Amino acid sequence: MSTSTARKGEWLEAWDPENEATWDSKLAWKTLWITTFCLTLAFIAWFLPSAIIPKLASVGYTFTKGQLYWMAAMPGLAAGLLRILWMVMPPILGTRKLVTITTLLLIPSTLGWGVRVMEPTAPYWELMVLAFLAGIGGGAFSGLMPSTSYFFPKSKQGTALGLQAGIGNLGVSIVQLLTPYLIAIGALAVFGGSQQMKFPGKPDQTVWYQNAAFVWIPLMIGGAVLAWTMLKSVPIKANIKQQFDIFKNQDTWWMTILYIMTFGTFSGLSAQFGLLMINLYGAGNAEIVSGSGAAAKVLVAGYAVPEAVKFVFLGPLIGAVARFAFSPLTDRMGGAIWTLISGVGLIGSIIYTIPALTPDTSSAAALDAGFNQFLYGMLAIFLFAGIGNASTFKQMPMIFEKRQAGGVIGWTAAIAAFGPFLFGVGINFLGVVPFYWIGVVWAVGCVVLTWWRYARKGAPKPS
């Protein structure tokens, strides 16, 4: 009898992916693609606020920069908290129920953002609530990833989890890339009227901002239907108390530190990239003054980068592609060596970016050069964070036994999901430059940890 024989229409009779003779690879890959589709929608819901918040002022909202940083940080706070809940759900609910329910829970926040951008009348607290609810999409990661890992042998988990996480991470760049185009298509505005988007020194532009949210809701409903009708659940049972035995293993804590470096950086910068770019180099920033005294020449900031936010999608895109592109290499070479490369790359790229965090406004040429350094440095940070996201997810199934590996994946993802919140708070209270130097110090510590514990010859846990 095949190990994939169903019981009660959902739960598999038994499941041993390490047994090639009985492993149902077709079911495993079908599960991967459906859960990956739903995870991509979850990331879209999670980062929808990051695509909308930088534009709130142009549709009539009058929040301060600090309020906007906090609003962009809120989905990260929610995701970190909710991932702790979602991480214990896979053995309890099973893959089918977990993916279905999670996908349906993406709809309320997405619908709410669509409604509240049609008129600039929502109070700040209400948008903060919607930002928090968007974190459900981030929380989903700690449930969907471990439940998918149950379906694959260790030899293929680096590739499978890298594909799922990488394509899921693409949801960040998808929503940030498509939002400017979706809001410009009046034919999509089945519900609600148009809005006038205001730009300094430019004519008002007619937009339909609700499209940025409403277009995803039919896909979320479709994803939930796919999950309910086509997924099965693996009989890996453990109550909450049993799952918490991962905290007795020191490698749970070491891998948490490493994943903060990689996914914490990816998610934190993805949420704040647009605001950083606008505040440092976008239109409406301080004036550029060249010359002095009566000969002073004043230009409007943003001259060098009139629509800076059009580049925002590139960072998450590079990070997501790196995650699934490097996953096969982690299966071939091991994860630890690539985590080491990720850490060294992050140190170099952050140091390279730091000078550009203080724009040189002495001339248009200096501003333009600073922007290019900022953009290329940020893209390099996303690249190395994406490589590390792939490598750490290869390491965990190699270090821990199957049930614990799922729990550790969920736990580390939960803590790293606080990235958007920590980045927002850090930038607000410490300033951009000091916060980036903290990132350098953290990455240096992670490089030492990776080499000593996992990558060097004779390491205690080679992975």
Side-chain angles (χ1 to χ4, degrees):
M1 182 176 66
S2 170
T3 57
S4 61
T5 301
R7 181 177 76 240
K8 298 180 181 178
E10 175 186 356
W11 293 92
L12 301 175
E13 191 69 41
W15 186 259
D16 181 11
E18 303 300 335
N19 186 339
E20 291 188 13
T22 58
W23 178 51
D24 189 342
S25 62
K26 183 178 179 180
L27 174 60
W29 286 104
K30 180 176 73 173
T31 301
L32 176 70
W33 296 127
I34 293 173
T35 56
T36 298
F37 175 66
C38 293
L39 184 63
T40 304
L41 292 172
F43 270 83
I44 286 171
W46 187 19
F47 280 87
L48 178 63
S50 75
I52 290 176
I53 290 168
K55 297 288 190 179
L56 288 179
S58 63
V59 295
Y61 282 101
T62 56
F63 302 125
T64 66
K65 288 182 179 180
Q67 286 177 311
L68 293 176
Y69 274 129
W70 276 107
M71 195 183 298
M74 189 54 60
L77 173 63
L81 296 173
L82 293 173
R83 282 188 177 189
I84 296 172
L85 173 63
W86 253 258
M87 65 175 275
V88 301
M89 290 294 107
I92 297 172
L93 290 180
T95 300
R96 186 171 82 172
K97 290 189 183 73
L98 179 64
V99 178
T100 302
I101 293 170
T102 298
T103 307
L104 290 174
L105 287 174
L106 303 176
I107 296 174
S109 67
T110 306
L111 178 64
W113 279 106
V115 170
R116 297 315 268 157
V117 295
M118 288 191 287
E119 294 285 345
T121 57
Y124 183 68
W125 68 264
E126 185 177 331
L127 294 184
M128 288 289 279
V129 170
L130 288 176
F132 186 90
L133 291 176
I136 291 172
F141 188 90
S142 285
L144 271 61
M145 290 291 292
S147 66
T148 300
S149 73
Y150 298 155
F151 285 85
F152 287 87
K154 287 186 176 182
S155 62
K156 291 181 171 60
Q157 284 192 13
T159 298
L161 295 181
L163 284 170
Q164 181 171 33
I167 295 173
N169 289 170
L170 278 176
V172 182
S173 55
I174 288 171
V175 71
Q176 292 176 341
L177 171 63
L178 293 185
T179 291
Y181 299 99
L182 293 174
I183 65 176
I185 303 175
L188 292 176
V190 179
F191 303 101
S194 63
Q195 304 91 43
Q196 295 300 307
M197 184 178 289
K198 301 180 183 299
F199 296 97
K202 294 184 180 181
D204 291 353
Q205 179 182 345
T206 301
V207 294
W208 294 264
Y209 230 106
Q210 64 271 27
N211 294 352
F214 290 164
V215 72
W216 306 113
I217 293 177
L219 296 178
M220 292 170 181
I221 295 171
V225 171
L226 279 175
W228 184 256
T229 56
M230 300 187 70
L231 293 183
K232 300 293 183 182
S233 298
V234 175
I236 294 180
K237 294 292 188 180
N239 60 37
I240 293 176
K241 182 179 179 181
Q242 290 171 326
Q243 292 185 64
F244 281 178
D245 65 358
I246 61 173
F247 299 120
K248 298 177 182 178
N249 190 327
Q250 65 170 301
D251 287 294
T252 298
W253 304 106
W254 301 136
M255 292 308 302
T256 301
I257 290 171
L258 296 182
Y259 201 56
I260 289 171
M261 176 186 72
T262 61
F263 187 77
T265 298
F266 172 84
S267 62
L269 287 183
S270 295
Q272 301 293 341
F273 196 12
L275 285 174
L276 272 175
M277 196 175 288
I278 286 176
N279 291 337
L280 293 174
Y281 290 97
N285 194 16
E287 291 179 330
I288 306 168
V289 181
S290 62
S292 60
K297 191 174 182 180
V298 180
L299 303 172
V300 176
Y303 151 82
V305 272
E307 292 187 45
V309 290
K310 70 182 181 182
F311 299 102
V312 167
F313 80 95
L314 286 173
L317 175 64
I318 288 173
V321 170
R323 185 166 196 164
F324 62 75
F326 280 82
S327 292
L329 292 176
T330 67
D331 272 338
R332 192 175 309 152
M333 300 172 61
I337 184 62
W338 286 106
T339 301
L340 199 65
I341 292 170
S342 168
V344 173
L346 283 169
I347 293 168
S349 53
I350 295 172
I351 291 175
Y352 172 81
T353 306
I354 286 173
L357 300 177
T358 308
D360 182 353
T361 60
S362 61
S363 69
L367 182 72
D368 189 53
F371 173 75
N372 287 332
Q373 183 173 349
F374 171 76
L375 178 62
Y376 295 139
M378 291 288 285
L379 296 184
I381 294 171
F382 275 107
L383 170 65
F384 288 109
I387 292 172
N389 287 337
S391 61
T392 49
F393 265 46
K394 171 61 179 179
Q395 287 181 265
M396 284 182 266
M398 302 301 295
I399 295 169
F400 302 92
E401 57 96 2
K402 181 176 291 292
R403 179 183 62 76
Q404 282 196 327
V408 173
I409 288 171
W411 166 257
T412 57
I415 300 305
F418 284 110
F421 177 72
L422 295 175
F423 271 64
V425 173
I427 290 170
N428 256 317
F429 286 97
L430 299 176
V432 182
V433 173
F435 188 73
Y436 270 57
W437 277 115
I438 290 174
V440 172
V441 173
W442 190 278
V444 169
C446 287
V447 166
V448 173
L449 168 61
T450 302
W451 177 80
W452 180 260
R453 183 74 181 169
Y454 304 112
R456 66 184 173 91
K457 185 177 181 180
K461 291 286 184 177
S463 54

